[in-house]
Amino acid sequence: HILLRSGLASVIGSFEGFQIIFEADNGKEFIEKLETNPEPDIVLLDITMPVMNGFETAQWIKKNRPEIKVIVLSMMDDDHSIIRMIRYGAGGYILKDSKPALLKSALHEVLDKGFFFNELVSGKMIYMVQKGNGKSSEEDLNEKEIDFLKLCCTEKSYKEIAVDMNITPRAVES
């Protein structure tokens, strides 16, 4: 929605240190605009878009431009959508009815740490781990993956986690 997107751009433009590089109506237009505009550090991505939806766009970003961080801004608060977007590389997930202060926090944390997990996302992830989803369980994780999950629960950035685990920051992001 152009009107809502413009309002959101104004809000973000008022945050110190943030600038809107470009806006797009859908994932296909986003990819096209990447060819003629500077690459953004962070993309705010809605799930419900025409032509190329947020799931498809997040997958494309993860595969083709993994250095771009993604924050999902959606009305969808179901487990499936949240977990799916995290699997597709989203570093944060907030609802459209969130306050501007939460958006500002998410932008800063994703930029600084690579991720932002609020109560909504944390709760869904805990549920997924406790209940399982038929695809993964604690027994399927190796020792290094478990260590990584423990470090993710700290205040450490991806770079600090990389140092602790003796791997590259890129490997931590992946």
Side-chain angles (χ1 to χ4, degrees):
H1 301 101
I2 296 170
L3 183 62
L4 296 176
R5 195 174 65 233
S6 295
L8 183 59
S10 293
V11 169
I12 293 169
S14 73
F15 298 157
E16 187 176 332
F18 290 95
Q19 171 188 351
I20 303 298
I21 296 175
F22 64 86
E23 299 175 29
D25 289 331
N26 57 65
K28 185 175 183 228
E29 184 179 323
F30 166 76
I31 293 167
E32 291 167 358
K33 286 190 174 189
L34 277 176
E35 295 175 15
T36 57
N37 290 282
E39 186 172 283
D41 294 320
I42 301 175
V43 171
L44 282 181
L45 188 61
D46 194 356
I47 293 175
T48 308
M49 298 184 295
V51 184
M52 184 176 181
N53 69 33
F55 295 119
E56 296 164 327
T57 306
Q59 283 183 298
W60 185 92
I61 291 169
K62 184 177 181 180
K63 180 179 178 187
N64 297 286
R65 301 284 179 96
E67 64 281 357
I68 297 176
K69 294 168 175 41
V70 174
I71 297 176
V72 177
L73 185 62
S74 178
M75 289 302 297
M76 301 173 78
D77 64 352
D78 61 288
D79 295 354
H80 178 72
S81 296
I82 294 170
I83 292 167
R84 188 172 170 194
M85 288 305 283
I86 291 169
R87 283 191 177 131
Y88 292 165
Y93 195 110
I94 60 176
L95 297 177
K96 286 183 179 178
D97 63 357
S98 299
K99 295 183 181 194
L102 182 68
L103 175 60
K104 185 176 182 180
S105 293
L107 289 167
H108 279 290
E109 289 201 29
V110 166
L111 196 58
D112 295 342
K113 296 180 184 177
F115 58 90
F116 171 77
F117 292 141
N118 55 8
E119 288 182 30
L120 173 73
V121 175
S122 298
K124 304 295 184 194
M125 290 179 68
I126 289 168
Y127 176 80
M128 181 184 76
V129 169
Q130 288 178 343
K131 300 294 181 194
N133 61 2
K135 295 181 182 176
S136 174
S137 69
E138 186 177 333
E139 294 81 31
D140 294 334
L141 299 175
N142 64 39
E143 189 174 328
K144 197 166 194 169
E145 291 168 330
I146 292 170
D147 290 341
F148 170 74
L149 289 173
K150 288 177 183 176
L151 288 167
C152 282
C153 294
T154 67
E155 295 289 321
K156 293 185 177 193
S157 69
Y158 276 180
K159 289 177 184 172
E160 292 169 323
I161 292 172
V163 169
D164 287 357
M165 294 186 71
N166 198 27
I167 58 177
T168 67
R170 177 68 126 206
V172 173
E173 287 182 23
S174 298

